[in-house]
Amino acid sequence: MTRGQGESLWADARRRLLQNRAAVLGLCVTGALLVAAALTPWISPYAYDEQDLNLGASPPTRAHLFGTDSLGRDLLTRMLYGSRISLVVGLLATLVSMIIGITYGAVSGYLGGRWDAVMMRLVDILYSLPFIFFVIILMVYFGRNIVNLFVALGCVQWLTTARIVRGQVLTLKQKEFVEAAVAMGVSTPGIVFRHLVPNVLGPIIVYATLTVPAVMLEEAFLSFLGLGVQPPNCSWGILIAEGVKHMELESWLILFPGFFLSLTLFSLNFLGDGLRDALDPKYRAD
Amino acid sequence: MAAYALKRLVGAVPVLWIVATLTFFMIRLAPGGPFDQDKSLPPDILKNIEAKYHLDEPLGAQYLRYMGSLLVLDLGPSFKYANRTVNEIIAAAFPVSLELAFWAILVALTLGIGAGIIAALYPATWKDHGVMSLAMVGVCTPNFVLGPLLVLVFSLTTGWLPVAGWETAQDRILPALTLGAIYAAYIARLTRGGMMEVLRQDYIRTARAKGLPERVVILRHALRGGILPTVSFLGPAIAGIATGSLVIELIFDIPGLGRFFVQSALNRDYTMVMGTALFYAVFILAMNILVDIAYAWLDPRVRYD
Amino acid sequence: MEKTEEKLLDIQDLRVHFHTRHGVVKAVDGVSFGLERGEVLGIVGESGSGKSVTCLSVLGLLPAPPARIESGRALLAGRDLLTLDAESLRRVRGKSISMIFQEPMTSLNPYLKIGVQLVETLRAHEAIAAEAARARAIRMLDRVGIADAGIRMDGYPHELSGGMRQRVMIAMALLTQPDILIADEPTTALDVTIQAQILELIRELKAEFGMAVILISHAMGVVAEMSDRILVMYAGRVVEQGNPGEIFRHPAHPYTKALIDSMPNPNASADRLPAIAGTPPDLARLPAGCAFAPRCGFARPVCRETDPDERTRPASETPALGAPEALTRPGSPTRSAEPGHAFRCHVDI
């Protein structure tokens, strides 16, 4: 593959992505969210720990657009800070899962034969296990902090990545440029990482985009149960859990975090689907 | 078929052994013990408790003891619920979770397959777009968001359904709907895809050319192949429903195993957490085997092997 | 002169268009023919010539949208199938008119037992007990040459070879003793030796049950051997029709001649079949004039400008009284070579 072809491939993918309205919408919402999270310390209307006990729980007003909780804390501010943690956990856990998945898949696909069969059989087995239980076990025994959280989530999300990478490697392995590299005496790991991994970049980008919402959902799930992010840190899962406790009288406390979590998952999924269709038209959804 | 099921069950044994071993050593490697938080305990009492649960033995002995008890299906005593074994707690609480899961699957299958068929029969019409948009919303709405919203609308605002509890038939409606909704959404998408694929097949044209009533063409000829993607998805769906029941039981105050599991995790009740996780692993593996058998029954071209 | 009343099936000026994003595809663009009781009518043409679409549209088996029947009538015993309500048309399908298809591998439902698929056909049209239906199905399987018919009833299609499956399809089609069997490329997907067996079976069963057969094929040889009458279709129209003897002796349309020339000839020493040059036209963008002109060795300037019909039958002109019906009905070829042999072409070849 020449460089010119490669460039037109990406340009073609970008054109297809921009034609997909749902994906563009997802891209915009995701982008806005990332910007808001990055600029939180400068744009949030109140300080993170600022309370107004005299005000207490207030529905949305001009001063507090999303209302306040029973301690008089501004919900918008807490959601902005919460988005930082939710996003960081989502991105880092995805990174962990990608590193494990790519390595595992590339090695399995490259070795082939019996090793490949054993390694993929293991993936099959792991697929059928209820992973969140093991994340919970990890969190229980190793402590509920953010590093353990994203490592644990990353450790259970790599299976599909491994399968995708392995499949791609098996296909690419047959191609001439790899044979040429072998003939020139490039070492085995060198071949795998220098020649094959760049070629599986497309599918990996797609799957990473789809892993981020999956991990964010799991983080919110665990935090909701009290097993994820711990106060005084704040994530959307924690806000939703607090909202559930007070929803009878203060429904805005559940509505805003719930809506924005769903919206984020929605956008990232649309973006991921759009990327998949753009990068590989054959590999369509459903 | 029985031989196939048996073979699969035997194949699951090493999986469970690996899972049990990994969890066991993971726990022992982790810093701190189950009673560290009870700082008020005098050292000699702590010693007694540790002796009672054999925590003073060497690691290897503890491992062998645990594996030995697993062989006779004994998950050991709970560390926190005094005088109750993990087996007893599971036996008492799991039927509740199982019932919840049953209703949730029923919701997922009926809503999902029904919606998927409608969307597939009228592609690119308002019916299709409506169903599929709703499914997309369903896929992206976590159950711990959907549950409170349903409670807000159907219990707190209108008062039609109970807020929580697990006594009457009405108590089942909201939890089952909440837990099943996301899988109904996935199944609707899968059924639509599967049906669209099957409806293009030559044998559907044959069925019509034979003069079969349209109802028979759809329900006997098309649905059989059209639900195969859904059947494949049932394994992950059951695992997801088992997981989801953790939050649903918490939100709706249902005395099921999921709530015990979360409580034990928060309490660091080691044997309870490990026993429950293993139990769920067995349950889900067994369900996967059942699903595979169902698949082979639906598709005669698949051989048991 | 043919009489309309006697015809079993009478197709008149049928037009079926597909409304797609790329334009209107005129898959069938004015086709008329009749089918007599007990007759074998062969329809021959390349893929895309409209021969399958004609038959599928008569039975209401085309997906609509995109397919739309623009005009025409399809009279079966005086009833127009094209305007029939869904339920009445369903009663015709598989009962009066049965159909078998090209792909025996995919035309049977892989998920249902063969017996189920046979019995349901019978019971969709007749009030018959399950046991009796099963017995009849087994007899029919036996008749079409399936060994161990009783055992096969409980088997699945994938357990059978392609030829066996086509036999099952034929059994299924004939269970209800239809008046008409439409065989759409019944042998195309089969091995050569099996092809001959299946054609022989259809011939036998036709004689036995006395039904009319519409045999659709792209192979002139298959059609010529089996048919009492042949329609040659090109680009959604009948370009030539007549009995096999006349058509073979004096093909009047260049396309027919090309089809005959491309037949495998056991006596010829040529190691390569002469194929028809060029590709079938894009039915959404038909050229002006004759649709075959771009591929035609005999084409003259007039062929690229004027539709052969327009010259030989101006729209305003009323057909002369007593003219052969084949020439006067809309959708029929307009030039006559011999009685019963008509074609649409500017050129005499």
Side-chain angles (χ1 to χ4, degrees):
Chain A
M1 187 190 294
T2 69
R3 191 174 171 81
Q5 276 171 337
E7 275 170 359
S8 73
L9 209 70
W10 288 104
D12 197 38
R14 194 177 60 202
R15 184 182 50 76
R16 273 200 297 265
L17 183 70
L18 293 179
Q19 277 170 354
N20 182 338
R21 262 179 293 171
V24 171
L25 192 72
L27 188 65
C28 292
V29 174
T30 309
L33 187 79
L34 283 170
V35 169
L39 299 179
T40 294
W42 296 278
I43 63 168
S44 73
Y46 297 87
Y48 173 66
D49 47 5
E50 191 176 324
Q51 301 182 355
D52 186 349
L53 291 169
N54 292 329
L55 179 65
S58 152
T61 60
R62 191 161 297 179
H64 299 279
L65 286 176
F66 288 5
T68 58
D69 67 9
S70 50
L71 295 174
R73 290 179 293 190
D74 181 59
L75 183 58
L76 176 58
T77 304
R78 282 172 58 76
M79 280 180 60
L80 280 168
Y81 278 97
S83 72
R84 287 160 76 89
I85 293 192
S86 294
L87 282 170
V88 163
V89 170
L91 292 173
L92 289 179
T94 301
L95 186 69
V96 170
S97 83
M98 287 297 133
I99 292 171
I100 301 175
I102 292 169
T103 314
Y104 192 95
V107 169
S108 178
Y110 188 82
L111 293 177
R114 186 173 295 177
W115 278 106
D116 180 45
V118 170
M119 287 174 83
M120 281 300 123
R121 179 86 190 102
L122 186 66
V123 168
D124 290 342
I125 289 168
L126 293 176
Y127 250 116
S128 58
L129 291 175
F131 262 116
I132 205 75
F133 291 92
F134 294 94
V135 175
I136 290 176
I137 291 177
L138 283 171
M139 294 303 289
V140 168
Y141 295 115
F142 288 89
R144 297 172 216 150
N145 64 54
I146 290 181
V147 176
N148 284 349
L149 181 62
F150 72 70
V151 171
L153 287 174
C155 283
V156 301
Q157 279 289 350
W158 54 272
L159 298 174
T160 308
T161 314
R163 271 193 183 169
I164 292 172
V165 172
R166 173 207 173 243
Q168 295 279 329
V169 168
L170 281 182
T171 327
L172 288 164
K173 218 166 71 169
Q174 318 296 336
K175 300 218 166 134
E176 293 142 25
F177 67 94
V178 175
E179 281 167 19
V182 174
M184 288 187 304
V186 182
S187 71
T188 306
I191 294 167
V192 170
F193 285 97
R194 211 162 317 131
H195 294 267
L196 295 177
V197 173
N199 277 288
V200 299
L201 206 58
I204 287 173
I205 290 172
V206 171
Y207 193 67
T209 318
L210 291 168
T211 303
V212 173
V215 175
M216 286 180 72
L217 178 63
E218 281 170 357
E219 178 276 315
F221 176 88
L222 290 172
S223 300
F224 180 87
L225 291 175
L227 293 165
V229 175
Q230 298 295 307
N233 282 329
C234 166
S235 80
W236 288 358
I238 288 181
L239 289 174
I240 291 168
E242 287 177 6
V244 170
K245 287 188 199 118
H246 302 107
M247 70 178 172
E248 190 161 0
L249 296 173
E250 292 135 27
S251 56
W252 62 90
L253 290 178
I254 172 90
L255 291 178
F256 284 107
F259 173 75
F260 276 90
L261 177 62
S262 297
L263 181 70
T264 308
L265 299 176
F266 217 74
S267 305
L268 282 164
N269 278 317
F270 271 139
L271 180 60
D273 284 349
L275 279 173
R276 172 169 54 195
D277 293 348
L279 285 170
D280 188 355
K282 286 172 306 209
Y283 189 71
R284 286 198 62 99
D286 292 341
Chain B
M1 195 185 80
Y4 170 77
L6 192 71
K7 200 174 143 195
R8 287 285 307 268
L9 280 173
V10 170
V13 169
V15 178
L16 292 171
W17 172 71
I18 292 171
V19 169
T21 305
L22 275 179
T23 26
F24 180 87
F25 284 104
M26 211 160 70
I27 290 169
R28 302 300 139 151
L29 283 175
F35 303 105
D36 287 3
Q37 286 161 327
D38 305 334
K39 292 207 176 75
S40 52
L41 286 178
D44 49 334
I45 294 185
L46 189 64
K47 230 184 170 92
N48 276 340
I49 292 176
E50 288 189 340
K52 183 182 164 198
Y53 295 117
H54 308 289
L55 293 174
D56 52 350
E57 291 178 7
L59 201 57
Q62 286 188 44
Y63 173 70
L64 288 178
R65 179 184 296 281
Y66 190 72
M67 288 297 139
S69 60
L70 281 187
L71 276 183
V72 292
L73 307 179
D74 177 10
L75 295 167
S78 162
F79 283 179
K80 294 287 157 126
Y81 296 95
N83 303 321
R84 292 185 74 182
T85 64
V86 177
N87 290 42
E88 285 166 4
I89 295 174
I90 290 177
F94 182 64
V96 174
S97 297
L98 195 63
E99 193 198 329
L100 173 61
F102 170 78
W103 293 121
I105 298 237
L106 201 67
V107 164
L109 286 177
T110 40
L111 289 185
I113 292 178
I117 291 177
I118 289 172
L121 289 184
Y122 307 98
T125 62
W126 64 270
K127 287 179 192 168
D128 182 23
H129 293 310
V131 164
M132 285 302 112
S133 306
L134 203 62
M136 191 66 203
V137 172
V139 166
C140 292
T141 308
N143 45 25
F144 53 91
V145 173
L146 180 65
L149 286 182
L150 291 178
V151 170
L152 206 57
V153 174
F154 292 102
S155 307
L156 298 176
T157 308
T158 58
W160 291 341
L161 291 168
V163 173
W166 195 250
E167 310 288 322
T168 62
Q170 283 97 317
D171 288 337
R172 267 72 172 167
I173 297 175
L174 284 186
L177 212 57
T178 309
L179 189 50
I182 188 168
Y183 300 100
Y186 274 114
I187 288 173
R189 284 164 36 136
L190 290 169
T191 305
R192 177 180 182 272
M195 288 294 284
M196 300 271 282
E197 182 66 30
V198 167
L199 287 172
R200 277 200 296 269
Q201 298 295 317
D202 289 346
Y203 61 81
I204 296 301
R205 189 183 54 187
T206 306
R208 293 209 171 104
K210 294 197 299 189
L212 299 182
E214 193 60 16
R215 185 176 42 82
V216 176
V217 174
I218 300 301
L219 294 181
R220 188 186 293 159
H221 283 261
L223 192 57
R224 192 79 177 246
I227 60 166
L228 285 178
T230 299
V231 175
S232 307
F233 174 67
L234 276 183
I238 289 168
I241 281 175
T243 310
S245 67
L246 303 188
V247 289
I248 302 302
E249 290 174 13
L250 209 64
I251 292 172
F252 292 98
D253 198 23
I254 297 166
L257 189 55
R259 215 176 52 170
F260 273 99
F261 179 72
V262 174
Q263 208 50 52
S264 311
L266 291 167
N267 289 338
R268 295 167 75 94
D269 187 344
Y270 284 14
T271 43
M272 184 67 201
V273 167
M274 198 168 150
T276 315
L278 274 179
F279 176 79
Y280 269 112
V282 172
F283 173 69
I284 287 165
L285 283 175
M287 285 297 140
N288 272 302
I289 294 173
L290 275 184
V291 166
D292 287 351
I293 289 173
Y295 193 100
W297 176 71
L298 281 170
D299 188 348
R301 290 170 299 183
V302 174
R303 290 261 150 262
Y304 300 110
D305 54 17
Chain C
M1 178 177 160
E2 302 164 81
K3 286 199 190 109
T4 312
E5 305 81 64
E6 289 166 7
K7 289 200 184 85
L8 181 57
L9 179 68
D10 190 9
I11 311 284
Q12 301 174 353
D13 196 26
L14 180 68
R15 282 168 210 271
V16 184
H17 295 177
F18 288 82
H19 294 259
T20 70
R21 261 181 299 176
H22 310 291
V24 178
V25 176
K26 296 175 179 173
V28 176
D29 200 26
V31 164
S32 298
F33 63 85
L35 183 69
E36 311 286 337
R37 241 168 229 292
E39 178 189 30
V40 178
L41 174 70
I43 306 183
V44 68
E46 289 168 301
S47 54
S49 60
K51 48 198 197 308
S52 293
V53 172
T54 301
C55 294
L56 290 171
S57 66
V58 165
L59 290 178
L61 289 174
L62 286 175
R68 205 162 81 191
I69 294 171
E70 303 289 334
S71 75
R73 301 207 292 170
L75 301 177
L76 177 77
R79 280 200 303 174
D80 184 2
L81 299 179
L82 301 183
T83 56
L84 224 48
D85 63 279
E87 175 58 20
S88 308
L89 188 58
R90 177 189 78 71
R91 289 172 194 280
V92 170
R93 288 200 294 258
K95 174 67 183 159
S96 306
I97 306 178
S98 286
M99 194 157 176
I100 60 176
F101 299 97
Q102 173 174 354
E103 288 291 341
M105 311 305 267
T106 55
S107 292
L108 287 165
N109 191 324
Y111 305 116
L112 296 176
K113 287 179 181 169
I114 288 162
V116 170
Q117 301 188 52
L118 287 164
V119 168
E120 69 175 0
T121 313
L122 201 44
R123 298 192 79 194
H125 297 290
E126 288 176 35
I128 181 171
E131 273 312 305
R134 190 179 161 85
R136 245 169 83 181
I138 292 175
R139 274 206 303 279
M140 187 57 83
L141 280 184
D142 204 40
R143 174 64 196 86
V144 299
I146 301 277
D148 302 322
I151 298 166
R152 288 300 182 196
M153 289 283 282
D154 293 316
Y156 288 95
H158 71 271
E159 296 161 5
L160 300 178
S161 68
M164 296 286 261
R165 279 186 232 189
Q166 198 60 294
R167 286 172 193 267
V168 171
M169 282 295 291
I170 292 170
M172 204 156 77
L174 297 188
L175 260 181
T176 51
Q177 307 207 325
D179 299 321
I180 301 171
L181 173 70
I182 301 176
D184 187 355
E185 305 261 11
T187 58
T188 307
L190 303 174
D191 292 342
V192 180
T193 49
I194 310 290
Q195 283 187 11
Q197 291 173 16
I198 294 290
L199 288 176
E200 182 53 36
L201 179 67
I202 292 176
R203 204 202 306 265
E204 281 171 33
L205 292 169
K206 189 229 137 208
E208 193 173 325
F209 293 98
M211 71 220 167
V213 176
I214 298 178
L215 179 67
I216 299 173
S217 180
H218 65 280
M220 196 58 153
V222 168
V223 169
E225 197 185 322
M226 296 277 294
S227 310
D228 302 317
R229 207 149 54 86
I230 292 178
L231 301 185
V232 181
M233 284 189 70
Y234 188 80
R237 292 183 177 191
V238 178
V239 294
E240 182 161 0
Q241 68 186 51
N243 68 46
E246 288 159 2
I247 284 188
F248 267 78
R249 270 196 311 277
H250 313 294
H253 195 284
Y255 179 62
T256 311
K257 186 169 158 46
L259 280 178
I260 292 170
D261 289 344
S262 70
M263 279 173 62
N265 183 352
N267 303 323
S269 59
D271 49 11
R272 211 165 57 86
L273 289 179
I276 302 176
T279 52
D282 179 354
L283 296 176
R285 288 177 195 78
L286 282 177
C290 174
F292 187 63
R295 301 169 70 187
C296 181
F298 300 89
R300 299 180 194 160
V302 64
C303 299
R304 298 198 176 81
E305 285 153 18
T306 321
D307 190 314
D309 287 2
E310 284 169 32
R311 199 190 63 172
T312 49
R313 186 187 59 210
S316 56
E317 188 185 303
T318 29
L321 218 64
E325 194 202 23
L327 303 185
T328 58
R329 293 167 56 189
S332 289
T334 44
R335 285 183 69 189
S336 180
E338 302 150 273
H341 180 187
F343 64 103
R344 36 167 50 118
C345 183
H346 291 292
V347 186
D348 297 303
I349 60 172

